[in-house]
Amino acid sequence: MTDNLQAVKAVDSEVYDIICAEEARQHDVVRLIASENYASRAVMEATGSVFTNKYSEGYPGRRYYQGQEFTDRIEVLATDRAKALFGCEHANIQPYSGSPANLAVYYALAELGDPVLGMGLPSGGHLTHGWKVSFSGRFYDAHHYGLDRESERIDFAQVQRLAREVKPRFIICGASAYPRLIDFERFAEIAQEVGAKLVADIAHIAGLVAGGVHPSPFPVADVVTTTTHKTLRGPRGGLIMCKKELAKDIDRAVFPALQGGPHMNQVAAAAIAFHEAMQPAFKTYAAQIVANAGAMADAFLEQGFRLVTGGTENHLLLVDLTPQGIGGKPVAQALERAGIVCNSNSIPFDTRGPFDPSGIRIGTAAVTTRGMKEAEMGRIVSWFARTVAALDDEAALDTIRAEVNEMCQDFLVP
Ligand code: DSN
């Protein structure tokens, strides 16, 4: 990619050097952050295209500035592809990212102070699902469901009880750190019973839904939000999909209520990502993400680690380090020194605080894009185990890093 950055090099060698260093880092380490991926070269070229120069407030055919012949074409193309890919009635590709997409849904479906029901952050939900430090917890009457203590899976009895009690405007399902399938139909039954809308945030699993390896929230969800860059492997961005009858409210919430001009370079890149996700190879990719996560889970269990829920059915795993008696943070830091990049994460019913949680979150979307398969997952888990056993042993971590680096040379990045 940096081959293409000759203008950057000529104008600003400082920025060029930093980009090159980041490119090398992404090549030389094993990237396991569950929300990250490697976008294709086509997606990155479109992100850096001339559409970055254009303002286009409004929607296709209804813009406020002239010069929209091609912005209209690219936005229609992107939304048509999103609708075809996910099988939905309406799509809005303008949200800048996932949090703005969720904010638009609150704006469209509720008034300030209205009750809403979402998954608690410590259970694996997202900040924008009503957590108190986000707009969603501050300006709405947010209530939270969580997990069953025994199974560590969504506690639907609690969801139903809370829904009946608080009568939310909408129930939001979907998660950032939940290793199991989401039962959208069960959520829809509860939402219907209490007259609430169902919002599904599929940011983490959108690529799995598109690839047919996770159940789709359509047609049961009223609104579906996602980012375009996680398992879906597009540019950084957001997308809202909904039933036709909510289209106007959603569109008005995104523009003019919350955003100005959409980032059309991002829209063009998203159109490419949707095209890529419609190809047969993407189904194979999505299936391999899940197979790789499963292989990792097996390897972790063999090495004696405890996994939240005992395993995984999607792209991510949560390793609970409580039995090892160490926190996730020092382990994540040692792993980074060893060339394995992931994040510490709270586990359900965590007894440690959010800045020093008990778990490590791991995702397989990025390593799968590089072509790594089950055998490499086994190697990664054995490096993980060696790292945990050698947290402060710089020499041991250097040895692991060299081995990781050597393996990475065999797997291309786009
Ligand atoms: N930052 C994303 C994640 O890591 O899950 C969610 O916004």
Side-chain angles (χ1 to χ4, degrees):
M1 185 68 186
T2 38
D3 302 348
N4 288 343
L5 297 181
Q6 293 314 307
V8 177
K9 188 177 184 182
V11 169
D12 192 333
S13 61
E14 206 176 345
V15 169
Y16 179 78
D17 289 346
I18 295 171
I19 295 175
C20 289
E22 173 61 11
E23 185 178 30
R25 186 194 71 82
Q26 291 189 15
H27 182 274
D28 291 343
V29 301
V30 164
R31 296 174 59 224
L32 298 176
I33 290 179
S35 47
E36 293 183 354
N37 209 330
Y38 295 91
S40 71
R41 198 158 175 141
V43 163
M44 286 196 284
E45 281 180 8
T47 306
S49 71
V50 291
F51 275 118
T52 203
N53 298 331
K54 187 65 192 136
Y55 254 120
S56 47
E57 280 96 336
Y59 289 100
R62 292 176 288 130
R63 307 278 191 194
Y64 289 82
Y65 303 162
Q66 298 311 116
Q68 306 293 349
E69 187 181 349
F70 304 111
T71 48
D72 279 6
R73 272 178 63 187
I74 202 69
E75 187 168 344
V76 169
L77 186 64
T79 50
D80 282 351
R81 285 180 179 175
K83 287 192 273 182
L85 181 62
F86 289 101
C88 63
E89 294 176 359
H90 179 74
N92 185 314
I93 185 61
Q94 295 196 5
Y96 299 138
S97 201
S99 295
N102 285 349
L103 176 56
V105 173
Y106 281 78
Y107 189 96
L109 300 187
E111 297 297 327
L112 291 180
D114 274 352
V116 297
L117 178 59
M119 192 171 187
L121 189 68
S123 300
H126 190 255
L127 282 168
T128 57
H129 296 184
W131 202 240
K132 49 191 176 295
V133 294
S134 105
F135 75 89
S136 58
R138 177 152 180 216
F139 299 120
Y140 297 86
D141 177 22
H143 299 261
H144 296 106
Y145 58 85
L147 307 174
D148 174 72
R149 197 174 263 276
E150 203 53 28
S151 66
E152 298 176 307
R153 299 190 188 213
I154 292 168
D155 182 350
F156 279 105
Q158 187 194 29
V159 179
Q160 186 169 48
R161 182 175 53 72
L162 286 170
R164 286 174 177 167
E165 256 170 52
V166 307
K167 299 258 180 308
R169 289 293 225 167
F170 59 85
I171 299 175
I172 186 160
C173 62
S176 292
Y178 185 66
R180 295 289 169 175
L181 301 181
I182 308 273
D183 186 347
F184 297 115
E185 299 205 347
R186 185 78 189 93
F187 273 109
E189 280 165 17
I190 296 172
Q192 205 167 19
E193 184 201 318
V194 301
K197 296 269 187 280
L198 178 64
V199 178
D201 177 347
I202 62 166
H204 265 263
I205 55 170
L208 307 185
V209 172
V213 294
H214 189 292
S216 169
F218 295 107
V220 296
D222 298 286
V223 180
V224 175
T225 63
T226 185
T227 49
T228 50
H229 50 268
K230 296 186 175 90
T231 50
L232 194 51
R233 210 165 56 176
R236 299 301 286 257
L239 168 67
I240 307 177
M241 297 170 278
C242 64
K243 294 185 171 164
K244 227 186 252 161
E245 61 263 29
L246 293 172
K248 269 197 181 136
D249 290 341
I250 291 291
D251 286 353
R252 282 193 196 123
V254 175
F255 175 86
L258 297 171
Q259 294 191 175
H263 297 170
M264 299 312 285
N265 54 325
Q266 186 179 310
V267 170
I272 293 172
F274 301 149
H275 172 73
E276 290 173 348
M278 282 187 246
Q279 306 312 309
F282 196 85
K283 280 199 183 338
T284 311
Y285 167 62
Q288 190 66 50
I289 293 176
V290 176
N292 280 350
M296 267 202 176
D298 291 345
F300 271 115
L301 296 173
E302 268 166 36
Q303 297 265 3
F305 286 95
R306 191 186 96 77
L307 298 176
V308 169
T309 77
T312 177
E313 292 166 329
N314 57 22
H315 64 303
L316 73 80
L317 305 98
L318 271 179
V319 185
D320 175 10
L321 294 162
T322 310
Q324 280 74 23
I326 36 178
K329 196 119 207 173
V331 172
Q333 286 164 344
L335 284 166
E336 185 174 7
R337 285 203 296 278
I340 295 172
V341 182
C342 53
N343 63 280
S344 58
N345 212 97
S346 293
I347 55 154
F349 311 102
D350 209 327
T351 50
R352 302 171 82 105
F355 294 106
D356 179 29
S358 300
I360 293 278
R361 186 183 69 158
I362 285 174
T364 53
V367 289
T368 306
T369 293
R370 294 185 74 164
M372 295 182 194
K373 296 220 165 83
E374 287 83 346
E376 286 73 39
M377 299 306 112
R379 293 190 74 188
I380 293 168
V381 173
S382 52
W383 285 321
F384 187 107
R386 278 167 59 194
T387 302
V388 169
L391 282 190
D392 298 315
D393 183 341
E394 291 295 334
L397 298 181
D398 283 348
T399 306
I400 297 169
R401 191 180 179 97
E403 292 172 25
V404 169
N405 190 288
E406 195 190 341
M407 183 183 83
C408 287
Q409 305 315 310
D410 294 336
F411 294 92
L412 293 175
V413 299

